[in-house]
Amino acid sequence: MKVGVKLGEIATIYSGGTPSRGEPSYWGGDIPWVKTTQIQNGVITEQDIEEWITDEGLRRSAAKMVPKGSVLMAMIGQGKTRGQVAILNIDATTNQNAAAILALDGNDPGYIYQQLLFRYKQIRNISNSSGQQNLNLDLIRSITFPKIDNAQQPLIANLLTAWDTAIVKTEQLISAKEKQFDWLKSTLLLRNPNAKHWKTYPLGQFIEEKKEKSTFPDLYPCLTSSRRGMFLQNEYFSRQVASKDNTGYKIMDRGDFTFRSMSDDGIFVFNQQNIVDKGLISPAYGVFASKCNMDPDYLYYFLNSSSFRRSLAREVQGGTRTALKLNALKKLDVDVPELQEQKAIANKLNVAKQEINLLVELAEQYRKQKRGLMQKLLTGEWRVNTDKEVA
């Protein structure tokens, strides 16, 4: 078992300050000023900086310079911000809600950064509970992790950073592919040159309501439909939240569509059930299937397109909450290509979507591999040889 070391024993830790907003001469200079919200488990570069202070702002306020290579930690923040860390790639100043962590005595800042990443949940748990849960400098100094030889620290940091780089590059590629997909979907569904030959029909000619309901409890697995897609209810909520008696719930076959009939912002998402052969969903959801003259994949892309959402917004009932009934949906006039063209469009979109899905799976594999390495390397169970092989 490795001997523990407190962060305050291997690093100098201090916080910064915010120059007065009421002094224009303090702002608009050439000294980078990092906001807490910019500390998001990554590297902060000059391109990330949104505000700059002057020499006078630095001299006449509590702002302090933090040298390049230091680690920053967010001490407060909404959501997941508190406890997140970043490495500075520039000399900068920061506000009073961020802790600057400067490695001492040959300790590697990249290694410290990876240890703090690894212990994110632990760090949030030590937050004090007075009012908003916050961290403070003393709590940060008390963070403890195994003492590992200084010579090993950069080797560990470099190895884990290689996984970080792979993850970031894959996520950037996903983002680029998603933008391409949005462009392709818009081109095929909204700006398609063949659209002048498409005919207008009520949507009800292409969809049919599914009315079958369960006749006794727990007939099939319960499902939930969210803006992120369809999920098994016990996985989405980590517990079963449906009524104890789900008799009378709607039955969804594989391939069926559903939507929530109420919306707070007027946006409706249509999900396709491809999880189980048969599942149950609350009666509050509309359930329907595509008819034989409508390709189901094309229907999915069309219903969730920006052009259809605009058409839908003109028809739905307003108020503090917006209601959409299946009968109203079926009455909407839509421009639809022939079935063969539907299939051709859906196939192009499916290929593009599959490329994104494969990249998402790759990024998740990288994250799992890194978590496994962190568990071994940052607890001292494994070490890195000088030839950079894990031993």
Side-chain angles (χ1 to χ4, degrees):
M1 186 72 169
K2 290 284 184 182
V3 176
V5 60
K6 291 183 178 180
L7 183 57
E9 296 171 353
I10 62 172
T12 297
I13 303 171
Y14 59 88
S15 61
T18 303
S20 172
R21 296 286 184 178
E23 293 289 344
S25 61
Y26 291 176
W27 295 91
D30 57 5
I31 301 173
W33 187 73
V34 178
K35 296 186 291 187
T36 311
T37 52
Q38 294 172 291
I39 302 173
Q40 297 182 356
N41 295 343
V43 178
I44 295 177
T45 67
E46 186 170 334
Q47 287 69 38
D48 299 313
I49 302 301
E50 299 174 355
E51 294 188 276
W52 306 73
I53 66 173
T54 62
D55 288 335
E56 183 181 356
L58 177 62
R59 292 195 314 271
R60 295 179 177 274
S61 74
K64 296 183 180 69
M65 290 301 304
V66 183
K68 178 180 178 179
S70 300
V71 178
L72 295 180
M73 178 183 288
M75 294 193 288
I76 72 168
Q78 300 294 326
K80 297 180 179 180
T81 301
R82 172 172 44 89
Q84 290 193 339
V85 289
I87 292 184
L88 271 179
N89 194 36
I90 51 173
D91 294 333
T93 59
T94 187
N95 68 21
Q96 65 275 13
N97 298 324
I101 303 167
L102 283 64
L104 296 173
D105 303 326
N107 288 281
D108 186 79
Y111 168 78
I112 292 175
Y113 167 77
Q114 294 291 344
Q115 282 283 7
L116 297 175
L117 270 183
F118 180 56
R119 299 172 194 282
Y120 171 72
K121 290 184 179 179
Q122 170 195 333
I123 291 167
R124 286 178 67 88
N125 287 338
I126 67 172
S127 301
N128 62 49
S129 57
S130 57
Q132 181 184 0
Q133 287 191 326
N134 298 329
L135 290 162
N136 59 47
L137 296 180
D138 286 338
L139 288 173
I140 294 171
R141 293 185 182 106
S142 72
I143 296 169
T144 303
F145 41 79
K147 182 175 176 58
I148 294 178
D149 293 342
N150 288 7
Q152 275 286 297
Q153 292 182 17
L155 299 178
I156 292 172
N158 290 340
L159 185 59
L160 295 177
T161 298
W163 259 261
D164 287 336
T165 301
I167 292 168
V168 168
K169 287 185 176 179
T170 306
E171 289 177 339
Q172 289 173 341
L173 187 54
I174 291 170
S175 180
K177 289 287 186 181
E178 286 176 337
K179 290 179 180 177
Q180 291 176 3
F181 178 79
D182 288 341
W183 173 85
L184 180 62
K185 185 168 67 171
S186 179
T187 299
L188 294 175
L189 297 178
L190 183 61
R191 300 191 299 272
N192 196 315
N194 294 329
K196 59 185 177 183
H197 303 299
W198 298 354
K199 296 181 180 179
T200 303
Y201 305 94
L203 184 59
Q205 291 197 21
F206 304 96
I207 64 174
E208 57 185 352
E209 184 176 5
K210 301 293 290 290
K211 297 181 179 181
E212 186 182 7
K213 295 182 179 180
S214 59
T215 54
F216 55 88
D218 302 325
L219 179 62
Y220 301 115
C222 274
L223 303 164
T224 191
S225 178
S226 76
R227 293 193 175 185
R228 295 191 292 114
M230 293 286 300
F231 299 90
L232 288 171
Q233 198 175 77
N234 57 0
E235 293 180 358
Y236 185 76
F237 294 102
S238 301
R239 58 187 176 89
Q240 192 79 5
V241 298
S243 168
K244 291 182 179 179
D245 182 4
N246 48 40
T247 303
Y249 270 44
K250 294 181 179 180
I251 296 175
M252 290 192 71
D253 293 311
R254 188 182 294 275
D256 285 350
F257 292 83
T258 188
F259 66 98
R260 191 175 181 86
S261 59
M262 299 296 295
S263 171
D264 292 329
D265 58 8
I267 295 176
F268 293 88
V269 174
F270 298 86
N271 287 317
Q272 191 175 22
Q273 198 281 102
N274 288 310
I275 301 174
V276 291
D277 289 336
K278 288 183 178 291
L280 301 178
I281 198 161
S282 166
Y285 292 84
V287 177
F288 60 93
S290 59
K291 294 182 179 180
C292 60
N293 58 351
M294 171 61 69
D295 181 80
D297 289 343
Y298 177 87
L299 179 61
Y300 172 78
Y301 293 123
F302 173 73
L303 292 176
N304 291 293
S305 67
S306 58
S307 58
F308 182 73
R309 283 180 178 165
R310 285 195 295 270
S311 299
L312 198 58
R314 293 192 293 267
E315 301 294 334
V316 294
Q317 302 168 14
T320 54
R321 301 190 74 195
T322 306
L324 175 62
K325 301 299 182 183
L326 187 55
N327 284 337
L329 185 69
K330 292 167 70 174
K331 292 177 182 178
L332 285 174
D333 287 333
V334 293
D335 296 331
V336 180
E338 295 297 325
L339 184 60
Q340 185 175 356
E341 188 173 357
Q342 293 175 26
K343 291 180 179 296
I345 291 172
N347 183 60
K348 290 178 181 179
L349 292 173
N350 285 338
V351 170
K353 192 66 175 176
Q354 182 61 18
E355 290 181 2
I356 296 172
N357 292 339
L358 290 173
L359 288 171
V360 170
E361 291 176 8
L362 179 61
E364 183 56 30
Q365 289 175 10
Y366 285 149
R367 282 189 283 266
K368 287 181 179 178
Q369 290 168 3
K370 190 196 173 190
R371 285 195 293 268
L373 281 174
M374 293 175 90
Q375 181 65 43
K376 298 296 186 181
L377 293 170
L378 298 178
T379 60
E381 185 176 344
W382 285 358
R383 66 188 302 276
V384 181
N385 290 335
T386 53
D387 58 3
K388 297 187 180 180
E389 292 181 357
V390 177

